[in-house]
Amino acid sequence: MDNKHRPTRRELIGVAATVAMSLAVSRRAIAQAGARVIVIGGGFGGASCARALKQLNPLLQVTLVEQNPTFTACPFSNDVIAGDRSIKQQQFGYEKVASGGVTVVAQAATKVDTSARTVTVADGSVLAYDRLVLAPGIDLRFNALPGYDEAASEKMPHAWKAGEQTLLLRRQLEAMEDGGVVAIAVPANPYRCPPGPYERASLIAHYLKTKKPRSKLIILDAKDAFSKQHLFESAWKELYPGLIERVSLSQGGKVASVDSSTNTLVTDFGKHTVQVANVIPPQRAGRIAEIAGATDKSGWCSIDPVTFESKQVSNVHIIGDACIAGGMPKSAFSANAQAKACAAAVVTLLAGGTPTPPKLINTCYSLVAPDYGISVAGVYQPKNGLLADTEGAGGVSPLDAPHEFREREAAYARSWFDTITAEVFG
Ligand SMILES: Cc1cc2nc3c(=O)[nH]c(=O)nc-3n(C[C@H](O)[C@H](O)[C@H](O)COP(=O)(O)OP(=O)(O)OC[C@H]3O[C@@H](n4cnc5c(N)ncnc54)[C@H](O)[C@@H]3O)c2cc1C
């Protein structure tokens, strides 16, 4: 007979409780002694998340890895293209983020080892993390559209990452003769900022109407329906009659290839050789997300909608444009809201707790003219593994609003930009 001591039930419960306690204590200890959280990408998502992490638990060691010394914001970059705003008004530094206790590493992250939990940056330094947040935004899928590569984008700018490309498109519009044709090629979903191409078309039309009234703008669209469509279309009729022509997917609007040597966009139904071609190509999550193993076959990152933790790799969270956020659009507003929810979840997880499901809001303003704004808002919460649209919440601007209403929405759009950039960058 085996006469070894068999632990009693009470003893087992005691051991389990001691293990649980020591785990809880060690988790708390990690959090208190300064667990390490690295955030890659200092845009609307990443910079917000780094600041929120530090505010929620000042003991955390928070490192923000950002490749550019200055961030250039996309929201309102269409105003720069239309000549109503300077690129300087779009630019923000990281001084306030750093003075809040976040360590800012001004380098590109080049490698992520999710087993060793390390990030390598461009100068070869290796940084260790307990949790990693990826907020790299988008990368353009060069070569997904035949003829459109990085060299072609120097002739047919995408201007979908703000900066030099924004200024290039502006210069091309300024240089164009009155009577020229401008084309905007719009990709299929999903892409950064669903209403962005139509806001751009509107503001370019405003510029053409006031400075080059014999010119035309054509939208070659790989979609049939688009965000705030009725509002845009009724405003175009009122403000820019005959100036904007949109060719939808079913009318043959999908651009199948381009030739940058002649500024030609080719669809299944014909060729458009134009004076200025703005080609917005298909997109995917920023490359570092793929390097980290966090992208799926769509090129985007699937996440748990409560914690934003990757479904592919553990201890890695993805926010902003790079993640698949269900019904939530890829916007700066969304990235900022997700950043705060993700920061709260990371702090709770590091302390051994269970994060609570978030409720998130997005509002997207678009300018149809400098004094004419429209908006769409939504509320999102986790449902069936995704961030689902909350039925009955949110809505769009009314179709038949008076001009003062549109003016007020344009003013709200500008205040929104000032408020969000102050919250993100200080
Ligand atoms: C024309 C246009 C108009 C828009 N208008 C609006 C609007 O009115 N309202 C709105 O809410 N949204 C708008 N958007 C969308 C908005 O710009 C994006 O949704 C938002 O920037 C996404 O935030 P993010 O943090 O995911 O990415 P980003 O803000 O792009 O930030 C990503 C950051 O990661 C950095 N990064 C990437 N890879 C690395 C790496 N390997 N190492 C280090 N750093 C890295 C990049 O340098 C960048 O700073 C607009 C977009 C466009 C193109």
Side-chain angles (χ1 to χ4, degrees):
M1 194 179 134
D2 178 6
N3 57 8
K4 274 192 195 147
H5 170 70
R6 285 180 193 279
T8 62
R9 192 167 166 268
R10 180 193 285 257
E11 281 170 330
L12 279 175
I13 291 171
V15 171
T18 312
V19 171
M21 255 172 62
S22 64
L23 268 180
V25 168
S26 67
R27 280 183 182 136
R28 265 204 306 276
I30 289 177
Q32 279 157 10
R36 297 151 305 177
V37 184
I38 296 179
V39 181
I40 300 181
F44 283 100
S48 307
C49 190
R51 294 189 99 187
L53 283 161
K54 202 66 193 166
Q55 280 154 9
L56 288 168
N57 183 351
L59 295 170
L60 289 180
Q61 292 178 38
V62 182
T63 303
L64 176 66
V65 179
E66 167 56 50
Q67 60 199 2
N68 296 320
T70 306
F71 180 75
T72 306
C74 285
F76 279 88
S77 64
N78 287 330
D79 247 19
V80 177
I81 291 165
D84 285 330
R85 197 175 165 89
S86 84
I87 196 88
K88 279 256 164 281
Q89 291 171 274
Q90 300 295 112
Q91 291 176 327
F92 303 88
Y94 293 97
E95 300 75 19
K96 291 271 176 57
V97 177
S99 67
V102 172
T103 304
V104 179
V105 174
Q107 300 216 31
T110 53
K111 199 174 145 200
V112 175
D113 183 335
T114 52
S115 311
R117 295 200 202 165
T118 58
V119 171
T120 306
V121 298
D123 73 359
S125 316
V126 178
L127 314 169
Y129 66 82
D130 296 298
R131 295 244 164 206
L132 172 65
V133 179
L134 297 177
I138 53 142
D139 264 341
L140 304 162
R141 283 184 196 262
F142 284 121
N143 299 317
L145 176 62
Y148 198 71
D149 55 13
E150 210 151 355
S153 75
E154 295 303 315
K155 291 188 155 180
M156 302 171 116
H158 53 77
W160 220 238
K161 285 190 176 188
E164 235 341 280
Q165 280 272 311
T166 312
L167 295 173
L168 175 61
L169 185 52
R170 170 69 197 155
R171 285 196 297 273
Q172 291 186 349
L173 288 168
E174 279 179 308
M176 189 182 83
E177 302 260 302
D178 187 9
V181 178
V182 182
I184 302 181
V186 184
N189 288 325
Y191 61 89
R192 157 175 284 182
C193 194
Y198 312 97
E199 179 189 71
R200 177 170 291 176
S202 308
L203 293 179
I204 292 178
H206 175 77
Y207 169 69
L208 298 177
K209 178 179 158 180
T210 43
K211 299 282 191 294
K212 298 178 181 177
R214 291 189 300 114
S215 310
K216 288 259 175 304
L217 185 142
I218 177 164
I219 303 170
L220 296 171
D221 205 333
K223 300 191 302 298
D224 275 330
F226 65 93
S227 173
K228 296 180 265 190
Q229 182 165 358
H230 295 311
L231 287 161
F232 274 113
E233 286 178 342
S234 98
W236 291 344
K237 238 186 231 163
E238 178 194 333
L239 303 176
Y240 314 118
L243 204 161
I244 299 177
E245 181 196 349
R246 173 172 173 265
V247 188
S248 68
L249 172 70
S250 48
Q251 293 164 328
K254 184 178 178 207
V255 174
S257 68
V258 301
D259 179 351
S260 61
S261 65
T262 55
N263 247 15
T264 302
L265 303 106
V266 183
T267 67
D268 288 342
F269 291 77
K271 286 184 177 185
H272 303 264
T273 299
V274 298
Q275 281 60 55
V276 176
N278 168 214
V279 177
I280 306 167
Q283 297 154 36
R284 60 164 191 231
R287 170 96 176 102
I288 195 69
E290 191 183 327
I291 291 171
T295 51
D296 65 19
K297 60 180 188 316
S298 71
W300 304 98
C301 306
S302 47
I303 48 148
D304 175 318
V306 176
T307 60
F308 292 86
E309 188 162 356
S310 167
K311 288 189 179 166
Q312 323 282 326
V313 275
S314 49
N315 301 305
V316 176
H317 303 250
I318 303 105
I319 54 173
D321 285 357
C323 76
I324 300 170
M328 246 186 145
K330 298 189 186 301
S331 74
F333 199 119
S334 297
N336 173 260
Q338 292 164 8
K340 289 180 272 187
C342 175
V346 167
V347 166
T348 305
L349 288 166
L350 285 168
T354 307
T356 47
K359 208 173 225 183
L360 301 165
I361 299 175
N362 174 66
T363 305
C364 275
Y365 291 99
S366 303
L367 296 181
V368 188
D371 63 348
Y372 190 121
I374 54 176
S375 65
V376 57
V379 180
Y380 308 85
Q381 50 198 324
K383 194 175 167 194
N384 304 327
L386 283 173
L387 277 167
D389 210 334
T390 307
E391 250 179 70
V396 292
S397 314
L399 196 53
D400 53 0
H403 191 73
E404 304 78 70
F405 191 97
R406 309 290 189 215
E407 261 182 86
R408 269 204 304 278
E409 287 225 280
Y412 294 153
R414 293 196 168 85
S415 331
W416 166 78
F417 183 80
D418 293 343
T419 308
I420 196 169
T421 51
E423 192 192 321
V424 177
F425 301 102

